[in-house]
Amino acid sequence: MGDPRAISLSATIFTRIQGFRSSIMPLLFASGLLTACVTGPERISVPAEQASAVQIEHVDLARFWGDEVTPTLRSLIAQQYKQTHDAVRSGRRPRTAVNHVDFLAISGGGADGAFAAGYLTGWSERGNRPQFEVVTGVSTGALAAPFAFLGPSHDRELREVFTQYGDRDIYRNLGLFGVMGRGLYDNGPLRQLIGRYLTEEMVTEIAAQYRIGRRLLIQTTNIDAQRPVVWDLSAIAASARADRREHMIDILLASAAIPAVFPPVRIDVRLDSQARQELHVDGGTVAQIFFAPPNIELSGYEKRYFGHARSRTLYLIRNGRLTPEYAATEETALGIARRSIETLIKYQAISDLVRLQLQTTAARGQLYYASIPDQFTLSPKSEFDRRYMQQLFAAGHDEGRLGRWRKQPPLTPVQAAEQRNPG
């Protein structure tokens, strides 16, 4: 239950306002009870100074911080490259894998995730979609990532997930319970949807790819630490955990848990043999799209295991538009907040894209990206408008089938100002 002193203080403040005593008191009493009862059992959190010391039970190298090159990350890469080397020698991967590598990163974007789903299926139809050694996903991109990782044989499921389900298949409005609880909406339906497609057979397929050096990486935000966490879902799939599938569902759900809109996801960890819980939310809270921490220097690992550096291509799919979109803003608190957040996310995505381009160029690789074209002007009528998603999927499919990639990211506001005002 909650702290009764907090409930009492709220009641005291509001009942002093003239004329509100009789109408507010019942609501305050009800809201106090709701706050106390809907937040769930008390969580045993991780002390700040030990945030990097926790373990994921029965999984080695399950995750790493997304903003730092750590010993764990170095070990993960070394293991991956050894697996790739061994898989090539045994014939389980083609010899070209030691000379060239393709990566894929899929961004967040809510219902706009239908664009990436359409693009990937169109790319399959074009006939030159590569097998990606690493696939990363954030938020809605995390939900598409397992299908993208396993390849065109899972395009049918990818299409279904992003075209056949709408609002009521994703969330339930909790009303006052949501306002006073952990999130405005219950994402239980989304958990069920993830579980419907992430079958034991699919988990086994992901595990098999892990053993030959491929990786499926999903980003969440540890909201306690205010830091990105990158989870190796392929390592979890290949682990001895009896609940490996449920753990993977938790991580995918967390990556798409928009703060305050959906409840955060509690992740069980171990610290000095004691159970603790971290709180994870949408990976898009810290970055709309990601690949790896800076200064990772993959060529050193490649020279060690392959004898030379490989050529690299990083493909990015941004589930959103990257150019400004004019719209008359509703002059209400919610309308202004919504429009401001949309603007913030747009420019965060551009900054992420520019950062990844600089990283790729520094590593002597090539970056290509795709985003929702300016010609697609439809707007959704709800958060997960199924008809809108179907039309966006079709637009993405056309882009992928035609192989429409771009190399030069759009300008950030600062860069645009410098171009308009040189010197």
Side-chain angles (χ1 to χ4, degrees):
M1 300 294 284
D3 185 349
R5 293 172 298 177
I7 300 171
S8 176
L9 178 60
S10 298
T12 301
I13 292 171
F14 278 95
T15 52
R16 285 178 179 172
I17 300 176
Q18 184 64 32
F20 279 78
R21 180 184 298 270
S22 60
S23 59
I24 285 291
M25 279 300 288
L27 179 59
L28 284 170
F29 180 73
S31 68
L33 290 176
L34 287 172
T35 302
C37 297
V38 302
T39 54
E42 185 177 356
R43 176 170 65 100
I44 304 175
S45 60
V46 177
E49 66 276 8
Q50 295 179 291
S52 297
V54 298
Q55 301 291 323
I56 305 300
E57 201 166 25
H58 302 308
V59 190
D60 293 327
L61 305 177
R63 65 180 192 172
F64 54 90
W65 292 115
D67 56 2
E68 181 183 5
V69 178
T70 62
T72 298
L73 177 56
R74 292 190 182 98
S75 297
L76 188 151
I77 297 171
Q79 181 191 60
Q80 178 193 354
Y81 279 46
K82 183 181 186 304
Q83 288 174 324
T84 299
H85 172 269
D86 294 346
V88 170
R89 289 191 64 182
S90 64
R92 291 175 295 157
R93 287 186 65 181
R95 291 202 59 80
T96 54
V98 301
N99 297 316
H100 177 78
V101 62
D102 293 299
F103 305 121
L104 174 67
I106 312 174
S107 85
D112 285 346
F115 175 75
Y119 198 103
L120 287 164
T121 58
W123 196 357
S124 297
E125 188 176 308
R126 183 177 175 83
N128 64 344
R129 176 176 156 186
Q131 183 186 74
F132 305 106
E133 185 165 285
V134 177
V135 174
T136 74
V138 177
S139 195
T140 191
L143 304 182
F147 305 106
F149 180 73
L150 292 176
S153 63
H154 286 268
D155 280 357
R156 180 185 61 80
E157 298 100 307
L158 180 61
R159 177 192 294 266
E160 284 182 8
V161 168
F162 285 94
T163 63
Q164 298 304 309
Y165 302 99
D167 295 283
R168 58 185 173 184
D169 303 301
I170 307 298
Y171 64 85
R172 285 189 293 266
N173 192 330
L174 293 175
L176 185 58
F177 281 92
V179 173
M180 307 307 297
R182 304 170 71 235
L184 295 174
Y185 300 102
D186 170 25
N187 55 359
L190 177 58
R191 176 184 285 276
Q192 293 176 358
L193 184 62
I194 295 170
R196 188 180 308 162
Y197 285 90
L198 188 70
T199 61
E200 285 290 351
E201 291 76 16
M202 190 176 188
V203 172
T204 299
E205 284 186 68
I206 293 170
Q209 295 303 308
Y210 170 82
R211 296 186 183 101
I212 60 172
R214 298 183 63 222
R215 294 293 184 265
L216 172 59
L217 306 178
I218 301 300
Q219 180 169 283
T220 65
T221 300
N222 181 328
I223 200 65
D224 294 326
Q226 293 186 323
R227 296 181 67 183
V229 175
V230 179
W231 297 84
D232 186 347
L233 246 64
S234 46
I236 296 169
S239 73
R241 285 185 68 124
D243 64 342
R244 59 179 186 160
R245 175 174 167 271
E246 288 72 23
H247 192 46
M248 292 168 72
I249 291 171
D250 282 343
I251 293 164
L252 291 170
L253 190 69
S255 187
I258 305 167
V261 176
F262 294 137
V265 176
R266 293 182 177 188
I267 301 291
D268 293 328
V269 296
R270 305 292 295 184
L271 180 62
D272 297 330
S273 300
Q274 294 185 338
R276 303 273 180 156
Q277 287 184 314
E278 297 174 337
L279 211 57
H280 287 254
V281 298
D282 196 320
T285 305
V286 290
Q288 288 298 303
I289 194 165
F290 83 99
F291 176 65
N295 304 318
I296 200 169
E297 298 180 358
L298 295 177
S299 59
Y301 297 92
E302 291 171 338
K303 291 174 183 177
R304 176 182 171 187
Y305 288 98
F306 310 139
H308 57 270
R310 299 185 289 182
S311 59
R312 307 181 192 93
T313 304
L314 173 59
Y315 296 95
L316 308 179
I317 303 180
R318 168 58 189 152
N319 289 310
R321 296 173 180 82
L322 293 171
T323 54
E325 305 163 76
Y326 186 87
T329 302
E330 182 183 347
E331 204 167 346
T332 64
L334 288 177
I336 293 168
R338 184 186 185 93
R339 185 66 171 163
S340 299
I341 291 170
E342 289 173 351
T343 304
L344 173 68
I345 290 173
K346 183 186 296 288
Y347 286 107
Q348 181 191 31
I350 293 173
S351 295
D352 291 339
L353 185 54
V354 170
R355 171 178 51 81
L356 288 171
Q357 185 199 45
L358 292 173
Q359 282 184 238
T360 306
T361 301
R364 292 188 286 278
Q366 181 64 61
L367 181 146
Y368 295 97
Y369 77 92
S371 61
I372 297 177
D374 293 339
Q375 295 82 357
F376 185 84
T377 58
L378 298 177
S379 298
K381 295 180 180 178
S382 62
E383 293 303 321
F384 294 93
D385 178 348
R386 184 166 63 179
R387 178 157 177 75
Y388 168 83
M389 293 171 70
Q390 290 169 345
Q391 292 172 312
L392 182 55
F393 178 95
H397 185 274
D398 289 343
E399 293 286 298
R401 183 173 50 81
L402 295 171
R404 287 179 174 158
W405 293 102
R406 286 175 278 181
K407 293 184 180 181
Q408 186 61 42
L411 299 175
T412 65
V414 172
Q415 291 171 325
E418 289 173 345
Q419 276 202 3
R420 287 193 297 268
N421 305 287

